[in-house]
């Protein structure tokens, strides 16, 4: 039952085993890792990103706490591990970047590589904007008190600006001072200069780290991949000593087994595993192609899976100690406020109501003087609600965490540490990202061959910076959310699925097994066989279908920061304008469609070329007709894409 | 907040009853004063008659300071309806004439000498509250050069130096190498040896060349 699609000429396109051995002995011009540690650290840095800090803990907590770990680990092993082995193995075997690998397997599949490159580019653009925001906060952390602890004063200096008064200091600092967010995505406002400067800093840092390819980024990863773990450890110790930390951890890990029955849980777990491993970006294939031929890629895949899984849990624990502390602090403040109002309202002596007898006292007062109590407008203090507040994405880092940090003694130091950690997490992911953009551009010959690596990196960074200015506008936050939702979801799943099908059924799983045997010394065992052939593609297909269905059913709305909204400071849910469909098509549709469209174009081109060769023997009128038919693919010839 | 004024009137000392009536008719020239408890260490402000005397003296000082010389005395400040949580109403009368001073003037006097009154009790705007008189807040300290600009400058400077160093270093290396080659007078002999080697060596693996052959022929 070996289903392999016909693939003529494969042996001509890929180096055979003797060539590989020869390449191994000679010192080719292909970059190499200095040592295994660099390679592992780069891959770990690539896989462990900001999502581990601000996406996984949220998913864990909303989908049943400790119980979420069950689908997460199952899908980690069934979905993530085989895909990792696939990308590592194919990169190491074919010794090329993503475009080169797919082109070698079958020239019609080059579209997969191009799609990977486009997705990496789009993701890299908005990811670096997040890095720019993190840098802004980092730069502003070198002062005490931190600038987001105070509201600015209003005109007559008797109070604070109303926008800040109604929301909170951290909200105001993020939405107004940093982003100067407009009220809708259409209202682009002007460029927000602090963000432009931070974007410049972000792209320059990436440029210098990647300026000579992996020879410079390989050195940078020693810091960017290891520092987050150190900082997380420091935060863990600090977090556990804070009051109320265990409330947060308990909230996170309290299992709710009923959630396992919910298909969304499994879907979200699958999607998280897929994105966490940065699969289908093309970076992993590139990185493993710089390995020696006999590197044990199977072991690497297992190591990486274990490290990513453990890091997610570790980061989630740290995050929730801080969230627990913040929630407890807010709860205590809420109770004290209520006590004060009651004491003031009923003119009771000090200390007659404390936190411990608050409930009893409130009940007593409510039963004796309900009207007065009602008039006082006592707010209910709900710990569970506070624990579940705004704890995902940018909200976690820039609002919840910054607020929690202001309450810790020595806040500037903690703030600096936190944002350096986020910066390192983001940078190490971006190395893989930019690898997934620059190397395909090189393979597609879109750059002149004479240009050195420095020029390639420089030009890519410069062009990306200019496109990123879109995110520096006042509506930039909404664009980032748009990119986050659409550029990184459907296309990645499509590419991942295509990769699996391509390697298993077009390259041939038998050939792949032989390759692994040649490289490592033993064939992949039955687990890999079954998962590569059936389970992983099936899981990916199910996730993709569900995603398409849910996205199609969803109304296109987004959340805006609108001070004029009735329920301000809650974010208002506003429908997208109609032209957003074009943007969504560009973000999600084009990378997904590149794969079949490229194959189609190539088919036409091949036919055309055959006819062109035949042109010499036909009449002039026929020749001109055929010529017009083939004109549109001339671009392909010029760019040497085909 | 404290209940409607007529209710309070009933609790007032008879001595000041007349004044309270006038107060109500003139739509209140009274002031309310709250001594709040301090969070944390001091739970309750220790209140006694002497403290009340200090308050009246401080307020008399404030009135004197504001009106520039009118000799308000301690007897011109009339508190009433003290509560356990240390809050009370008070009215101010003019010295000698016993006319009520209107609320606006009292408020402005308090605003002017707020610091001194706070200082007399070693309290702050947060712990000594005059109802209806909002303290002007201190503006947050903002340094001339925002610190973030300084950090940004440092980072960009370091990165720019790094980029220039990385770009210039190989050029410098190449120049040094060229100089070394120029100094080498055996260069002719060396190239001769090399060509002989090339001829003798049958196949130096040229990956670029082989690569081109690997693309499928159309």
């Amino acid at each position: 039952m070996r289903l392999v699609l016909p693939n003529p000429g494969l042996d001509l396109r890929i180096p055979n085993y003797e060539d590989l051995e020869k390449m191994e002995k000679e010192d080719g011009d292909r970059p190499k890792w200095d040592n295994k540690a660099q390679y592992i650290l780069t891959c770990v840095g690539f896989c462990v990103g900001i999502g581990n800090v601000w996406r996984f803990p949220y998913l864990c907590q909303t989908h049943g706490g400790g119980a979420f770990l069950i689908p997460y680990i199952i899908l980690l092993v069934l979905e993530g591990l085989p895909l990792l082995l696939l990308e590592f193995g194919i990169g190491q075997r074919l010794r090329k970047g993503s475009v080169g690998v797919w082109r070698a397997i079958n020239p019609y599949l080059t579209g997969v590589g191009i799609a990977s490159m486009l997705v990496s580019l789009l993701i890299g653009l908005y990811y670096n904007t997040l890095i720019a925001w993190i840098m802004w906060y980092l730069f502003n952390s070198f002062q005490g008190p931190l600038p987001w602890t105070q509201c600015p004063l209003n005109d007559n200096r008797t109070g604070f600006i109303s926008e800040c008064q109604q929301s909170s200091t951290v909200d105001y600092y993020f939405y107004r001072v940093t982003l100067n967010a407009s009220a809708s995505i259409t209202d682009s406002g002007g460029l927000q200069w602090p963000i432009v400067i931070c974007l410049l800093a972000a792209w320059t840092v990436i440029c210098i780290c990647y300026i000579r390819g992996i020879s410079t980024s390989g050195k940078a990863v020693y810091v960017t991949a290891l520092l987050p773990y150190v900082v997380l450890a420091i935060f863990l110790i600090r977090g556990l000593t804070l009051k109320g930390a265990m409330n947060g951890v308990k909230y996170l890990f309290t299992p709710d087994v009923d959630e396992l029955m919910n298909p969304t849980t499994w879907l979200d777990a699958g999607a998280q595993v897929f994105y966490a491993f940065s699969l289908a970006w093309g970076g992993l294939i590139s990185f493993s192609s710089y390995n020696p031929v006999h590197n044990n890629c199977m072991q690497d895949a297992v190591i990486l899976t274990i490290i990513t899984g453990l890091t997610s849990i570790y980061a989630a624990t740290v995050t929730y100690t801080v969230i627990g502390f913040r929630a407890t602090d807010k709860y205590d403040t809420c109770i004290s406020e209520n006590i004060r109002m009651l004491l003031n309202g009923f003119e009771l002596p000090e200390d007659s109501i404390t936190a411990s007898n608050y409930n009893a006292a409130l009940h007593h007062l409510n039963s004796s003087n309900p009207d007065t109590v009602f008039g006082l407008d006592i707010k209910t203090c709900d710990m569970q609600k506070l624990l579940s507040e705004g704890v995902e994405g940018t909200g976690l880092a820039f609002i919840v965490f910054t607020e929690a940090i202001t309450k810790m003694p020595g806040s500037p130091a903690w703030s600096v540490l936190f944002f350096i950690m986020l910066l390192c997490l983001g940078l190490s992911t971006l190395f893989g990202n930019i690898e997934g953009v620059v190397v395909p551009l090189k393979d597609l010959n879109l750059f002149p061959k004479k240009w050195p690596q420095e020029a390639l990196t420089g030009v890519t960074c410069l062009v990306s910076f200019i496109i990123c200015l879109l995110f520096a506008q006042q509506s930039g936050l909404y664009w980032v959310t748009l990119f986050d939702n659409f550029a990184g979801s459907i296309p990645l799943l499509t590419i991942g699925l295509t990769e699996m099908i391509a390697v298993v059924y077009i390259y041939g799983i038998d050939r792949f097994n032989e390759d692994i045997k040649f490289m490592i010394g033993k064939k992949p065992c039955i687990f890999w066989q079954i998962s590569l052939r059936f389970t992983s593609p099936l899981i990916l297909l199910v996730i993709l279908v569900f995603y398409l269905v849910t996205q199609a059913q969803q109304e296109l709305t987004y959340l805006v920061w609108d001070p004029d909204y009735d329920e301000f400071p809650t974010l208002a849910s506003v429908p997208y304008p109609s032209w957003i469909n074009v943007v969504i098509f560009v973000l999600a549709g084009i990378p997904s469609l590149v794969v079949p469209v490229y194959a189609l174009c190539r088919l036409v081109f091949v036919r055309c070329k055959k006819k062109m060769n035949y042109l010499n023997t036909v009449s002039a009128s026929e020749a001109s007709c055929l010529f017009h038919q083939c004109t549109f693919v001339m671009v392909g010839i010029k760019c040497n894409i085909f | 907040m404290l209940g409607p004024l007529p209710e309070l009137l009933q609790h007032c000392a008879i001595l000041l009853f007349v004044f309270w009536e006038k107060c109500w008719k003139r739509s209140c020239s009274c002031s309310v004063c709250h001594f709040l408890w301090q969070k944390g260490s001091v739970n309750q402000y220790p209140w006694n008659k002497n403290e009340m005397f200090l308050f009246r003296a401080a307020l008399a000082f404030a009135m004197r300071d504001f009106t520039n010389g009118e000799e308000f005395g301690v007897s011109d400040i009339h508190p009433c309806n003290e509560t356990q949580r240390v809050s009370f109403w008070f009215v101010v009368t003019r010295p000698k004439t016993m006319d009520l001073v209107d609320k606006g003037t009292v408020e402005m006097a308090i605003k002017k000498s707020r610091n001194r009154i706070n200082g007399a009790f070693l309290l702050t705007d947060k712990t000594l509250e005059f109802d209806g008189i909002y303290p002007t807040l201190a503006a947050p300290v903002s340094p001339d050069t925002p610190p973030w600009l300084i950090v940004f400058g440092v980072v960009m400077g370091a990165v720019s130096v790094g980029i220039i160093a990385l770009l210039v270093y190989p050029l410098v290396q190449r120049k040094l190498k060229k100089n070394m080659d120029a100094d080498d007078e055996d260069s002719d002999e060396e190239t001769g040896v090399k060509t002989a080697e090339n001829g003798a060596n049958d196949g130096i693996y040229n990956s670029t060349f082989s690569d081109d052959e690997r693309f499928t022929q159309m």
Side-chain angles (χ1 to χ4, degrees):
Chain A
M1 215 183 51
R2 298 275 190 266
L3 172 65
V4 178
L5 298 172
N7 195 358
L10 180 61
D11 288 309
L12 297 171
R13 293 191 294 266
I14 61 178
N16 58 27
Y17 295 157
E18 291 86 39
D19 296 332
L20 284 178
E21 296 285 10
K22 257 196 220 162
M23 278 198 275
E24 187 69 8
K25 295 201 185 78
E26 265 125 31
D27 221 10
D29 59 351
R30 191 164 180 79
K32 271 199 266 239
W33 295 110
D34 290 342
N35 49 49
K36 182 81 184 275
Q38 251 187 22
Y39 167 62
I40 294 285
L41 281 178
T42 308
C43 289
V44 166
F46 189 23
C47 296
V48 172
I50 308 182
N52 288 74
V53 171
W54 77 30
R55 178 98 182 120
F56 175 79
Y58 171 75
L59 285 176
C60 201
Q61 168 255 311
T62 40
H63 288 298
F68 181 74
L69 293 176
I70 299 173
Y72 184 69
I73 291 175
I74 291 177
L75 287 169
L76 205 68
V77 169
L78 285 180
E79 182 198 345
L81 200 47
L83 268 169
L84 266 185
L85 177 68
L86 190 132
E87 294 212 347
F88 283 162
I90 207 78
Q92 200 169 301
R93 167 72 177 84
L94 299 179
R95 330 282 310 154
K96 289 235 161 66
S98 66
V99 163
V101 154
W102 304 114
R103 195 195 322 212
I105 291 181
N106 195 319
Y108 287 89
L109 286 177
T110 318
V112 178
I114 298 178
S116 284
M117 178 194 75
L118 285 175
V119 168
S120 284
L121 179 67
L122 291 173
I123 293 180
L125 290 175
Y126 87 82
Y127 210 84
N128 218 8
T129 312
L130 296 174
I131 303 277
W133 296 347
I134 291 170
M135 273 190 170
W136 165 258
Y137 271 80
L138 178 63
F139 293 159
N140 273 294
S141 302
F142 287 96
Q143 51 183 302
L146 294 167
W148 51 84
T149 46
Q150 309 153 308
C151 275
L153 299 177
N154 61 13
D155 290 327
N156 55 6
R157 294 180 68 207
T158 54
F160 300 115
I161 291 183
S162 68
E163 192 180 347
C164 193
Q165 189 86 350
Q166 285 178 298
S167 56
S168 71
T169 54
V170 280
D171 279 320
Y172 181 79
Y173 191 76
F174 181 56
Y175 289 107
R176 187 56 54 211
V177 178
T178 308
L179 300 174
N180 200 6
S182 62
S184 85
I185 198 169
T186 41
D187 182 15
S188 68
L191 282 178
Q192 184 67 351
W193 286 105
I195 301 294
V196 174
I197 299 186
C198 290
L199 269 175
L200 182 68
W203 280 110
T204 323
V205 169
I206 286 288
C207 191
I208 190 182
C209 287
Y210 192 74
I211 199 157
R212 287 228 195 93
I214 62 164
S215 45
T216 40
S217 76
K219 313 242 178 346
V221 285
Y222 285 117
V223 173
T224 60
L226 291 175
L227 190 62
Y229 286 96
V230 174
V231 175
L232 277 174
I234 297 174
F235 263 97
L236 184 68
I237 298 171
R238 170 77 267 210
L240 287 173
T241 55
L242 290 170
K243 181 181 175 221
M246 291 319 286
N247 290 339
V249 178
K250 263 187 260 176
Y251 182 67
L252 173 70
F253 285 124
T254 313
D256 179 8
V257 194
D258 296 327
E259 279 284 342
L260 291 180
M261 303 302 156
N262 189 355
T264 337
T265 308
W266 292 85
L267 209 68
D268 280 338
Q272 175 62 17
V273 164
F274 189 75
Y275 302 135
F277 276 127
S278 311
L279 295 161
W281 290 31
L284 286 174
I285 300 180
S286 267
F287 285 147
S288 69
S289 72
Y290 304 132
N291 270 329
V293 175
H294 293 293
N295 175 51
N296 193 343
C297 50
M298 204 185 286
Q299 198 185 51
D300 294 342
V302 173
I303 291 175
L304 199 61
T305 310
I306 295 175
I307 291 180
T308 309
L310 290 176
T311 309
S312 298
I313 299 172
Y314 178 43
T317 314
V318 174
T319 310
Y320 266 82
T321 54
V322 179
I323 288 177
F325 160 69
R326 173 186 170 269
T328 309
D329 186 274
K330 279 202 147 171
Y331 180 76
D332 287 342
T333 315
C334 182
I335 296 277
S336 322
E337 268 300 301
N338 288 351
I339 291 177
R340 189 177 84 89
M341 277 200 279
L342 284 175
L343 289 179
N344 267 352
F346 288 95
E347 299 292 348
L348 298 168
E350 218 31 63
D351 282 343
S352 53
I353 308 181
T354 59
S356 41
N357 64 3
Y358 166 74
N359 282 325
L362 179 65
H363 186 75
H364 170 77
L365 288 170
N366 213 358
S367 42
S368 51
N369 305 62
D371 296 326
T372 332
V373 172
F374 185 70
L376 287 174
D377 195 21
I378 306 272
K379 294 190 195 72
T380 38
C381 306
D382 184 0
M383 182 64 129
Q384 297 297 310
K385 180 168 167 295
L386 287 168
L387 281 168
S388 67
E389 262 181 4
V391 289
E392 182 195 19
T394 50
L396 176 68
F398 299 118
I399 296 181
V400 171
F401 245 85
T402 44
E403 189 174 7
I405 284 173
T406 55
K407 301 194 165 71
M408 294 185 205
S411 10
W414 297 110
S415 182
V416 168
L417 269 179
F418 176 65
F419 286 110
I420 280 189
M421 175 188 81
L422 285 186
L423 186 68
C424 288
L425 285 171
L427 276 180
S428 52
T429 310
L430 268 176
F431 293 154
N433 210 311
I434 201 166
E435 172 84 18
V437 173
V438 170
V439 170
L441 285 176
K442 212 166 36 174
D443 283 347
L444 289 171
N445 298 320
L446 285 174
F447 288 127
K449 280 209 164 81
K450 288 182 290 182
W451 282 13
Q453 175 71 36
E454 290 94 334
L456 298 180
T457 315
V459 168
T460 312
C461 287
L462 184 66
V463 172
S464 307
F465 168 66
I466 293 173
I467 302 176
C468 265
L469 290 178
L470 167 74
F471 300 120
Q473 296 171 315
Q474 289 179 11
S475 53
L477 171 67
Y478 312 127
W479 283 100
V480 168
T481 322
L482 185 69
F483 270 61
D484 190 21
N485 287 338
F486 293 104
S489 50
I490 307 277
L492 283 176
L493 288 167
T494 329
I495 297 168
L497 193 60
T498 320
E499 282 187 4
M500 290 219 88
I501 296 173
V503 170
V504 172
Y505 298 110
I506 300 179
Y507 184 71
I509 188 73
D510 287 332
R511 193 184 275 269
F512 189 68
N513 288 335
E514 287 300 316
D515 291 337
I516 300 281
K517 187 166 176 196
F518 167 70
M519 292 193 288
I520 300 175
K522 55 179 193 279
K523 257 179 157 182
C525 65
I526 191 79
F527 160 73
W528 300 104
Q529 304 297 330
I530 297 178
S531 49
L532 277 171
R533 257 180 263 212
F534 305 117
T535 32
S536 298
L538 197 64
I539 293 174
L540 271 183
L541 186 64
V542 167
I543 295 176
L544 177 63
V545 167
F546 265 100
Y547 238 81
L548 282 170
V549 167
T550 42
Q551 289 282 31
Q553 283 177 342
Q554 250 175 13
E555 261 186 52
L556 287 176
T557 59
Y558 65 115
L559 298 169
V560 296
W561 177 258
D562 188 1
D564 299 325
Y565 181 52
D566 295 331
E567 286 171 49
F568 187 78
T570 319
L571 296 173
S573 182
V574 168
Y576 274 120
S578 46
W579 51 262
I580 216 75
N581 292 309
V582 176
V583 179
I584 293 177
F585 177 73
V586 170
L587 291 178
I590 289 188
S592 312
L593 290 176
V594 163
V595 180
V597 166
Y598 181 90
L600 207 66
C601 279
R602 192 188 170 82
L603 196 66
V604 174
F605 173 71
V606 165
R607 293 268 165 84
C608 253
K609 199 166 178 196
K610 280 197 185 134
K611 285 194 181 145
M612 293 280 274
N613 288 336
Y614 193 60
L615 264 177
N616 297 328
T617 56
V618 299
S619 65
S621 58
E622 266 191 60
S624 67
C625 179
L626 288 163
F627 181 75
H628 286 304
Q629 214 178 358
C630 300
T631 314
F632 87 100
V633 293
M634 286 305 193
V635 177
I637 302 175
K638 271 220 168 11
C639 289
N640 207 4
I641 289 177
F642 297 117
Chain B
M1 200 203 25
L2 274 184
L5 203 46
E7 272 185 22
L8 291 166
L9 294 180
Q10 293 166 19
H11 301 290
C12 232
I14 295 171
L15 188 64
L16 301 167
F17 190 72
V18 173
F19 300 116
W20 281 116
E21 262 202 338
K22 280 194 180 163
C23 177
W24 176 242
K25 278 180 185 142
R26 281 191 218 172
S27 68
C28 207
S29 60
C30 315
S31 298
V32 186
C33 186
H34 280 286
F35 274 68
L36 297 180
W37 86 105
Q38 209 166 18
K39 276 190 203 171
S41 48
V42 179
N43 281 327
Q44 166 76 325
Y45 192 86
W47 192 251
N48 52 41
K49 277 194 264 188
N50 300 331
E51 300 281 347
M52 177 54 87
F53 185 82
L54 179 60
F55 177 78
R56 291 159 74 191
L59 212 52
F61 161 78
M63 293 304 302
R64 281 197 190 199
D65 195 36
F66 183 69
T67 55
N68 260 332
E70 257 193 80
E71 291 195 357
F72 285 88
V74 168
S75 48
D76 295 313
I77 316 291
H78 311 280
C80 80
N81 194 37
E82 277 180 59
T83 63
Q84 265 183 308
R85 293 200 60 250
V86 203
S87 68
F88 50 85
W89 294 75
F90 64 91
V91 286
V92 182
T93 54
R94 293 216 176 267
K96 294 172 196 163
T97 54
M98 291 294 210
D99 283 331
L100 279 178
V101 181
D102 61 278
K103 188 171 180 182
T105 320
V106 175
E107 276 186 1
M108 293 214 285
I110 293 174
K111 261 191 194 162
K112 188 179 176 194
S113 311
R114 187 64 188 268
N115 254 1
R116 304 296 294 273
I117 301 175
N118 282 351
F121 294 95
L122 303 174
L123 289 175
T124 65
D125 281 344
K126 282 211 171 108
T127 40
L128 171 52
E129 186 187 78
F130 286 87
D131 191 50
I133 303 174
Y134 298 110
T136 51
L137 303 162
V141 179
S142 50
D144 292 324
T145 336
W148 71 268
L149 214 47
I150 300 173
V151 181
F152 169 77
V154 167
V155 167
M156 284 302 279
V159 167
S160 314
V161 165
I163 292 182
I164 294 171
L166 279 174
L167 291 177
V168 165
Y169 183 68
L171 295 173
V172 170
Q173 280 252 306
R174 236 181 279 166
K175 257 194 181 168
L176 283 172
K177 218 180 170 188
K178 267 191 193 160
N179 287 337
M180 283 180 64
D181 282 347
D183 291 341
D184 201 351
E185 281 168 350
D186 294 313
S187 52
D188 280 327
E189 253 186 76
E190 271 194 338
T191 44
V193 169
K194 271 192 191 143
T195 42
E197 272 185 344
N198 270 338
N201 212 336
D202 205 11
I204 297 178
Y205 188 74
N206 189 340
S207 54
T208 321
F209 179 66
S210 335
D211 270 349
D212 284 340
E213 280 185 351
R214 284 190 190 123
F215 295 133
T216 310
Q217 298 301 313
M218 282 341 152

